Amino acid sequence: MANAIKIEDFGDITYNPFESDELNFGNTLDPYPLIAQWRSEASVLEGDYRTKMGLVSAFYPPERKVFTVVGTSEILETLTDMDRFSNEGYKFNIGRTFGEGSISTMDNPEHGRWRKIFQKIFLPQNVKPWGEAIVDPIIKDLMDKFIPRGQADLIEEFTILYPFAIIYKQLNLPTEDIRTFQRLAIGQTDYMNADKAIEAGRKQGEYFAQLVEERRRNPGDDLVSLLANTEVDGDYLPDLVLVSFLRQLMNAAGDTTYRGTSILLTSLLNNPDQFDAIRTDHSLIPAAIEEALRWDGPVMVQMRMAKKDVVLGGVEIPAGSLLDVVAGAANRDPMIFPDPDKFDIFRERKPHFSFSRGPHICVGQHLARVEMTRALLAVMEKLPNLRFDADRPRPEIRGAMMRVPRHLYVRFGD
Ligand code: HEM
């Protein structure tokens, strides 16, 4: 009985997980000059990224050594060499809230075994049809609510809502509970209020464990049913892995794309000539999306752990040390991207680092691109003469760990 399962909100319903963003991910306006300075000193620095950025460092056990990796070839080495670098570092944060079965915390062969099952769902050919069928109607519903006003906060009323609504629909969760689920999904990464993050993970975990059972009995055409009934070597996917993946999906699918779309729209409004060029020629959309992701990617840092004693960038790193791998440093490396601080959709295209690299590269990258494309198309089609609202503050992209503008006040129409 679908109705027998009910999601439970935080015990403290006054708690607002969105307000913890600054505490968890920082409020730095421009972290890039500092990162460039580090890179000019060394490729690998002793100490953790959060502390260097002036944030409270709460993730790591104090006895572990931590290093910050900012050189591009060292970043690539760390993200791709699974013999020397492990994803176990994520057990200290993600693993505690998404669950021990999160693929982000795993190494091969375990990682590859489960990842290939999840990855299949999000292959380009599988997510492309979601654009018209799923993404567009959700965007239309949200925009219809503010279009008559001729003004909006595109963050609060659009970008923070649409990617979550898409994954929510694909999992076929109860419409009336969407806000509770989004609060729990975001709360899962409130590591500075660890009790809340753990509560959020536990509540979603209990819910999804029951839902998986239910959809094995009564399968539908949603993703939970598909995964719950997927067999591997004659057995179902282990609940630990499946439930962790669903918890991770709720967060990863909603949070990062909201940030990416918000940064894309802010960058284009700040560069009206480039925005006009895209309006005239829609074939520039993919270049605009990749450039926004490169110029200010939502996720600045990945975590890894040294499996053995290693030398990286000339620095000796003892086994068990944790590494903060700064993807945002590689994205602004002048040796790869000339004049790297400039947002330029016409620059020579080279692969960026915003979806990471190596075996853990983002599973949802193709979906994110479909979503950002549909969002940009809708903005251009439905919000003519789009401009910053002159009576409200301009957006500021902020954060040291994760980046996003908090508001994007616009006017459109006459
Ligand atoms: C612009 C949007 C997005 C950005 C910038 C982004 C970024 C990232 C990054 C940097 C990683 C790798 C972390 C690492 O190497 O340790 C990652 C992994 C992951 N992402 Fe995304 N992501 C986005 C959208 C999505 C979406 C829409 C989904 C949902 C389908 C998703 C699901 C995942 C999952 C499940 C992983 C773990 C992969 C693994 O460990 O094998 N992401 N993402």
Side-chain angles (χ1 to χ4, degrees):
M1 291 277 289
N3 290 341
I5 315 173
K6 182 79 185 160
I7 191 68
E8 215 187 290
D9 205 331
F10 290 100
D12 174 5
I13 51 155
T14 63
Y15 162 70
N16 180 356
F18 295 94
E19 281 173 3
S20 301
D21 200 80
E22 190 177 321
L23 187 65
N24 282 292
F25 305 125
N27 199 34
T28 319
L29 186 55
D30 187 358
Y32 294 102
L34 193 52
I35 292 171
Q37 187 198 314
W38 300 340
R39 192 177 36 226
S40 72
E41 289 162 13
S43 301
V44 178
L45 298 99
E46 205 161 323
D48 75 286
Y49 175 85
R50 291 183 67 90
T51 306
K52 287 181 189 302
M53 278 287 165
L55 295 173
V56 175
S57 173
F59 296 168
Y60 301 127
E63 70 279 7
R64 300 276 181 130
K65 280 197 136 195
V66 188
F67 296 84
T68 298
V69 185
V70 290
T72 302
S73 58
E74 289 77 12
I75 289 171
L76 266 174
E77 214 177 316
T78 321
L79 294 175
T80 52
D81 184 348
M82 300 285 271
D83 287 338
R84 294 193 301 152
F85 301 102
S86 155
N87 264 50
E88 257 192 59
Y90 281 123
K91 289 193 172 158
F92 300 112
N93 50 21
I94 285 179
R96 293 174 67 205
T97 57
F98 294 163
E100 282 166 39
S102 158
I103 55 169
S104 284
T105 65
M106 291 178 188
D107 294 331
N108 277 335
E110 209 191 359
H111 173 254
R113 184 168 189 224
W114 308 126
R115 176 175 161 123
K116 70 171 189 279
I117 293 164
F118 300 131
Q119 187 170 285
K120 215 163 142 189
I121 296 171
F122 298 101
L123 287 174
Q125 62 272 30
N126 294 339
V127 292
K128 194 162 177 267
W130 294 24
E132 267 184 51
I134 315 284
V135 181
D136 286 357
I138 286 173
I139 290 179
K140 182 178 180 315
D141 274 1
L142 292 169
M143 287 194 167
D144 281 352
K145 294 194 183 114
F146 62 75
I147 283 177
R149 284 207 319 271
Q151 62 185 85
D153 177 354
L154 287 183
I155 309 278
E156 290 285 322
E157 297 177 81
F158 175 45
T159 59
I160 206 167
L161 303 173
Y162 89 99
F164 188 76
I166 290 159
I167 205 67
Y168 201 79
K169 186 164 174 49
Q170 294 301 64
L171 298 179
N172 191 19
L173 298 173
T175 322
E176 67 278 11
D177 292 329
I178 186 163
R179 289 299 146 247
T180 306
F181 271 104
Q182 193 172 17
R183 281 163 51 73
L184 292 168
I186 296 298
Q188 277 185 126
T189 51
D190 189 355
Y191 302 116
M192 290 296 145
N193 293 300
D195 56 327
K196 292 286 190 292
I198 287 165
E199 181 185 355
R202 179 176 53 77
K203 285 185 167 162
Q204 286 192 93
E206 286 165 6
Y207 180 91
F208 282 126
Q210 292 176 62
L211 190 67
V212 164
E213 283 299 309
E214 143 91 25
R215 300 229 172 133
R216 273 189 189 132
R217 286 196 301 271
N218 302 307
D221 57 3
D222 59 282
L223 291 186
V224 181
S225 299
L226 176 72
L227 289 167
N229 293 290
T230 296
E231 289 188 23
V232 190
D233 303 333
D235 215 339
Y236 288 135
L237 268 170
D239 275 9
L240 183 73
V241 175
L242 175 50
V243 170
S244 293
F245 183 73
L246 293 171
R247 284 153 71 169
Q248 179 158 11
L249 203 55
M250 297 290 280
N251 179 277
D255 190 43
T256 42
T257 311
Y258 125 67
R259 293 171 192 272
T261 310
S262 308
I263 293 169
L264 170 70
L265 296 177
T266 301
S267 318
L268 291 175
L269 282 162
N270 274 325
N271 292 277
D273 294 354
Q274 297 184 46
F275 209 165
D276 281 345
I278 301 168
R279 285 194 182 91
T280 314
D281 180 0
H282 285 187
S283 73
L284 293 170
I285 290 175
I289 290 173
E290 299 312 313
E291 175 62 354
L293 288 167
R294 178 207 69 84
W295 178 71
D296 213 351
V299 187
M300 290 290 279
V301 182
Q302 273 89 75
M303 285 172 68
R304 295 293 186 267
M305 193 188 84
K307 278 183 164 174
K308 43 181 106 160
D309 291 351
V310 294
V311 177
L312 184 70
V315 177
E316 286 183 14
I317 297 181
S321 300
L322 297 161
L323 298 141
D324 286 340
V325 185
V326 188
N331 279 336
R332 298 270 187 125
D333 182 344
M335 300 303 283
I336 304 180
F337 304 104
D339 200 0
D341 298 330
K342 187 172 167 201
F343 175 82
D344 178 7
I345 65 168
F346 299 107
R347 71 168 59 245
E348 187 193 339
R349 289 258 66 82
K350 289 179 194 158
H352 57 70
F353 293 75
S354 292
F355 290 121
S356 190
R357 293 290 180 89
H360 287 270
I361 192 168
C362 179
V363 163
Q365 58 174 312
H366 309 297
L367 174 59
R369 290 186 173 106
V370 169
E371 292 174 334
M372 290 169 77
T373 302
R374 308 312 294 188
L376 184 51
L377 281 168
V379 163
M380 291 192 293
E381 188 199 327
K382 294 174 196 290
L383 312 180
N385 190 20
L386 183 69
R387 58 207 184 269
F388 289 127
D389 185 336
D391 299 329
R392 309 296 296 266
R394 288 274 186 118
E396 290 180 333
I397 302 167
R398 286 184 175 270
M401 298 291 293
M402 302 276 267
R403 306 273 297 154
V404 78
R406 312 246 179 260
H407 299 281
L408 178 45
Y409 297 112
V410 292
R411 287 182 183 263
F412 41 89
D414 301 330

